[in-house]
Amino acid sequence: MSQSIESVLTETRSFPPPPDFAKDARVGSFIDYESLYDRAAREPETFWAEIASELAWATPWKKVLEGKLPDGSNPEAPAPKWFVGGKLNASVSCLDRHAASWRKNKAAIIFEGEPGDTRVLTYGQLHREVCKAANALTELGVREGDFVAIYMPMIPEAAVAMLACARIGAPHTVVFGGFSAEALRDRILDAKAKIVITADGGWRRGQIVPLKENVDKAVIGTAVSTVLVVKRCDTPYTWHDRDVWWHEVVTPASPKHVAKPHDSEHTLFTLYTSGTTGKPKGILHTTGGYLTVAAYTSKLVFDLRDDDVFWCTADIGWVTGHSYVVYGPLANGATVVMYEGAPNQPGPDRFWQIIEKWGVTVFYTAPTAIRAFMRWGDEWPAKHDLSSLRLLGSVGEPINPEAWMWYRLQIGGDRCPIVDTWWQTETGGIMISPLPGATPTKPGSATRPLPGIAADIVKKDGTSCGPNDGGFLVVRKPWPSMLRTIAGDHERFVKTYFGEVANCYFAGDGARKDADGYFWIMGRVDDVINVAGHRLSTMEVESALVSHPKVAEAAVVGRPDELKGQAIVAFVTPRMGFVADDALARELREHVVKEIGALARPEEVRFAEALPKTRSGKIMRRLLREVASGSAARGDTTTLEDQGVLERLAQSFAQDE
Ligand code: WTA
């Protein structure tokens, strides 16, 4: 992995934190950051204990940390435990303590629906809604430890549902509303959920997403006995015995609910994410450790204070929505904006209009969105007064320096610091990021690890790489919000994250550190692709394709895409007797949408009579990646079984272009 000329050039451009930002920031200089980092590294338990003590604990912990990173060769090795013996209720830390303070009438959630309807819920109101939902769920038979699937649009009830589950100790599994009925069913089955919370539909680009209809299909053959439905769109629906309206059971329920504290290591949620196999992994997070880091990073990275209006545009179906729409900001008593719909509905300036309307001060979004805004043109943000903004953030994929500069100038008015935050579903919270008042930023770099996070870049044997040597991104020490297991598959957990690099958590990303110790994330080194900030495994798309009766074999790769970061290219060998034509390509693309969701629709389907394989029959994806990105296969092809296959593939590609 060699350094490109552009990155050397951009590296020399550095933006110090603006002095008026630094003046009032929680961490106001690079020296302060470094001393905090060193202190956390020297005494991690004392450091994390101080931070955790900012949550509302009902029973203090006996031990801050128990155990170490699992030994990758022992499939039963347990994950470390945090704040052992302590008890707390996540919803109390996020709500009750604020509702009992001057924040009672402070806005917790400012909701803007796509059609333009709005609702503001204060901490007092949100607390009452969550108590009602907790009572209603209990009434519906949900007990501590039962898994609840949530498949909802971005409406306040989604946050209410999550917090109500947390309140009664029923772990939630939120499934992104863009996933298909099939993908939802897989997750419901894996989580063994008996109840699904959904809505009749949600608004997206002026259309209604038929959530209830998808749930109706998804629950067939599962253990689901109750479907709780919020009426959002007044759209036609089919009603079943298992269905219950939210407004009939939650709205009339009692707003009083005494929350029972849960063990620090009690499961707060599982969230499915893609790995290197066809089967998504249920990443499991626990209460005390997860909430500690969600709250800590919200406070430090976004420098949150009481007069901020914080808008993280992520859907609650992703981990970013869990940590930075719900748990992190609410634990800090902050005001969050929640928007239901598309960024270009009704026009390409919807986001800028929302920022102006509500006076958003901190804005957190994904590079894919930023690149789309760039393409739509500077005139859209220019129409709005964005002077309320004081801080910008980016997450989900590497941000190219050009998009970074555009974000800084056109949205941030050359005034707001940008925090490029690296983290994962597995890490629970932000791991590598500038502190906006302390860290000079370089466009395209996530800069330094946060205090408490022992991130490094290493070779396969675990030794650190030298400056600018590409290697694997790892974490060397436990941190409170690390995943505890993959639900139902502990062995896969140990192997995936601890079996690759000795004594380290292996993130799956490649990266390098420059001479200043700044991290530059280069992207996944496994078969995970990142399409428009959505994580997908090539195997997942392949298994969807081969489930189609006309497909004999399929291989899926990512190729660089200017807008989405990566685009999906599928190489398909049809079964004998089926014609490889445009109609089949269309059919297969729609088949993937049905199996997974629109986010996985292949950009291109390429037919091939055979796929390049090693002598042992393994598909050589590296070669396909090169073919898909239009470059000739340059690498080593000596292990290729049939040299002719590659030439024929490259030729068919060239002719079609
Ligand atoms: C990628 C999203 C570069 C990375 C929070 C990681 C990033 C995966 C960044 C996790 C960033 C996330 N710069 N790459 N700032 N943030 N990634 O689980 O490849 O949906 O492994 O979590 O996104 O995606 P996930």
Side-chain angles (χ1 to χ4, degrees):
M1 296 182 220
S2 72
Q3 201 177 0
S4 73
I5 298 287
E6 287 125 275
S7 64
V8 175
L9 286 177
T10 50
E11 250 173 55
T12 58
R13 271 206 88 169
S14 142
F15 295 83
D20 10 322
F21 193 104
K23 179 163 67 65
D24 303 319
R26 295 192 184 277
V27 181
S29 75
F30 200 61
I31 295 174
D32 287 352
Y33 156 75
E34 286 194 311
S35 67
L36 198 58
Y37 191 89
D38 292 343
R39 185 161 77 77
R42 271 194 320 271
E43 293 170 7
E45 295 186 25
T46 316
F47 174 81
W48 285 118
E50 259 170 45
I51 290 171
S53 66
E54 291 182 21
L55 301 177
W57 292 86
T59 310
W61 55 82
K62 295 204 173 65
K63 229 173 149 188
V64 177
L65 170 64
E66 190 176 287
K68 48 185 181 28
L69 293 183
D71 163 6
S73 61
N74 171 10
E76 282 161 22
K81 293 190 172 99
W82 285 87
F83 314 116
V84 184
K87 284 186 195 289
L88 78 170
N89 187 299
S91 110
V92 169
S93 281
C94 291
L95 300 171
D96 300 46
R97 58 175 172 161
H98 305 311
S101 76
W102 68 268
R103 293 196 186 97
K104 183 178 170 101
N105 297 320
K106 174 182 173 175
I109 297 179
I110 296 174
F111 166 71
E112 169 125 354
E114 195 186 76
D117 54 322
T118 60
R119 269 158 76 191
V120 178
L121 279 118
T122 62
Y123 272 95
Q125 289 169 318
L126 184 61
H127 176 243
R128 282 198 291 281
E129 290 307 308
V130 169
C131 287
K132 285 182 185 186
N135 284 324
L137 288 174
T138 307
E139 192 65 23
L140 290 169
V142 182
R143 296 286 170 265
E144 184 174 338
D146 290 349
F147 279 77
V148 176
I150 298 179
Y151 184 66
M152 288 184 95
M154 280 292 282
I155 55 176
E157 286 81 357
V160 171
M162 290 165 75
L163 291 160
C165 287
R167 197 166 184 92
I168 60 173
H172 54 71
T173 293
V174 184
V175 180
F176 172 55
F179 277 117
S180 68
E182 309 291 328
L184 174 61
R185 176 192 290 127
D186 291 346
R187 286 155 178 78
I188 288 174
L189 283 171
D190 196 85
K192 303 187 179 67
K194 285 196 241 83
I195 173 162
V196 183
I197 308 180
T198 189
D200 55 347
W203 290 102
R204 184 88 194 163
R205 226 162 259 123
Q207 308 284 318
I208 293 171
V209 183
L211 297 169
K212 167 76 167 63
E213 208 177 296
N214 288 346
V215 173
D216 290 345
K217 286 187 211 145
V219 298
I220 297 168
T222 70
V224 170
S225 53
T226 309
V227 177
L228 180 55
V229 193
V230 175
K231 191 177 245 173
R232 166 70 185 139
C233 298
D234 236 339
T235 179
Y237 53 82
T238 324
W239 205 246
H240 302 88
D241 289 346
R242 59 176 176 257
D243 299 333
V244 197
W245 283 117
W246 179 281
H247 57 260
E248 286 178 3
V249 295
V250 177
T251 313
S254 160
K256 291 206 177 346
H257 181 271
V258 180
K260 176 180 160 235
H262 302 292
D263 202 86
S264 172
E265 283 294 321
H266 183 71
T267 302
L268 182 60
F269 65 86
T270 57
L271 182 61
Y272 285 82
T273 190
S274 298
T276 52
T277 73
K279 195 173 169 291
K281 311 177 276 198
I283 303 299
L284 188 143
H285 282 288
T286 55
T287 309
Y290 168 80
L291 199 61
T292 296
V293 176
Y296 160 66
T297 50
S298 298
K299 186 168 163 182
L300 227 67
V301 175
F302 300 112
D303 195 53
L304 280 188
R305 42 199 70 244
D306 264 314
D307 54 359
D308 272 318
V309 178
F310 178 58
W311 184 18
C312 162
T313 67
D315 192 281
I316 48 132
W318 309 113
V319 73
T320 309
H322 283 59
S323 302
Y324 301 108
V325 177
V326 181
Y327 290 109
L330 297 183
N332 281 283
T335 298
V336 299
V337 170
M338 198 171 176
Y339 169 58
E340 178 185 29
N344 53 355
Q345 183 68 26
D349 58 342
R350 184 65 186 271
F351 274 20
W352 321 128
Q353 187 214 334
I354 292 174
I355 290 176
E356 179 173 11
K357 177 174 173 187
W358 296 106
V360 171
T361 57
V362 183
F363 178 65
Y364 188 36
T365 196
T368 288
I370 299 168
R371 289 190 294 265
F373 301 142
M374 281 174 79
R375 183 175 286 194
W376 294 339
D378 300 356
E379 65 270 30
W380 298 104
K383 280 194 191 179
H384 296 275
D385 177 4
L386 304 181
S387 61
S388 58
L389 289 171
R390 65 181 196 96
L391 175 61
L392 302 175
S394 165
V395 61
E397 35 172 336
I399 178 164
N400 47 313
E402 197 195 353
W404 196 101
M405 283 308 304
W406 184 88
Y407 197 28
R408 174 166 173 110
L409 296 176
Q410 303 300 326
I411 308 305
D414 205 12
R415 161 190 90 245
C416 305
I418 297 179
V419 288
D420 173 1
T421 62
W422 177 87
W423 62 294
Q424 309 177 293
T425 306
E426 292 87 339
T427 69
I430 297 169
M431 305 288 278
I432 306 177
S433 167
L435 296 185
T439 317
T441 51
K442 301 181 191 186
S445 170
T447 75
R448 295 280 201 103
L450 297 187
I453 304 301
D456 197 5
I457 293 163
V458 301
K459 299 185 207 124
K460 190 89 190 159
D461 64 3
T463 55
S464 297
C465 293
N468 290 318
D469 277 348
F472 302 115
L473 180 54
V474 299
V475 186
R476 290 188 179 281
K477 292 270 161 56
W479 68 101
S481 63
M482 62 183 286
L483 76 166
R484 298 298 192 263
T485 190
I486 293 173
D489 198 348
H490 194 73
E491 188 172 348
R492 186 176 176 198
F493 159 76
V494 174
K495 251 173 64 192
T496 309
Y497 303 108
F498 307 96
E500 296 286 332
V501 184
N503 306 317
C504 293
Y505 165 84
F506 168 62
D509 281 309
R512 68 181 170 83
K513 256 194 269 183
D514 67 17
D516 294 329
Y518 274 41
F519 285 64
W520 296 77
I521 316 293
M522 298 186 307
R524 303 288 305 196
V525 293
D526 50 15
D527 290 323
V528 171
I529 46 180
N530 198 327
V531 182
H534 299 152
R535 200 168 141 181
L536 286 163
S537 96
T538 52
M539 288 276 287
E540 219 174 330
V541 184
E542 282 164 13
S543 23
L545 283 165
V546 296
S547 73
H548 190 280
K550 296 181 188 168
V551 173
E553 200 168 36
V556 165
V557 296
R559 73 154 154 69
D561 182 273
E562 226 180 83
L563 198 64
K564 298 182 189 168
Q566 283 188 296
I568 300 176
V569 180
F571 293 88
V572 172
T573 307
R575 274 185 200 278
M576 290 284 276
F578 292 107
V579 192
D581 56 8
D582 285 352
L584 181 58
R586 267 198 305 279
E587 194 177 322
L588 295 181
R589 293 172 80 224
E590 288 324 302
H591 180 69
V592 174
V593 173
K594 184 178 147 278
E595 291 292 311
I596 305 175
L599 69 167
R601 181 190 277 119
E603 187 85 5
E604 286 178 58
V605 175
R606 300 265 158 196
F607 293 108
E609 81 211 48
L611 298 171
K613 287 188 188 156
T614 61
R615 285 182 189 88
S616 60
K618 212 167 165 242
I619 294 174
M620 296 178 76
R621 283 212 183 69
R622 176 179 54 81
L623 298 182
L624 289 175
R625 269 196 293 273
E626 286 165 0
V627 172
S629 58
S631 58
R634 289 161 311 210
D636 184 8
T637 57
T638 48
T639 52
L640 184 63
E641 192 229 359
D642 173 3
Q643 295 283 339
V645 167
L646 201 62
E647 273 157 41
R648 288 194 292 278
L649 266 178
Q651 265 165 17
S652 79
F653 201 78
Q655 279 159 10
D656 289 357
E657 286 290 286

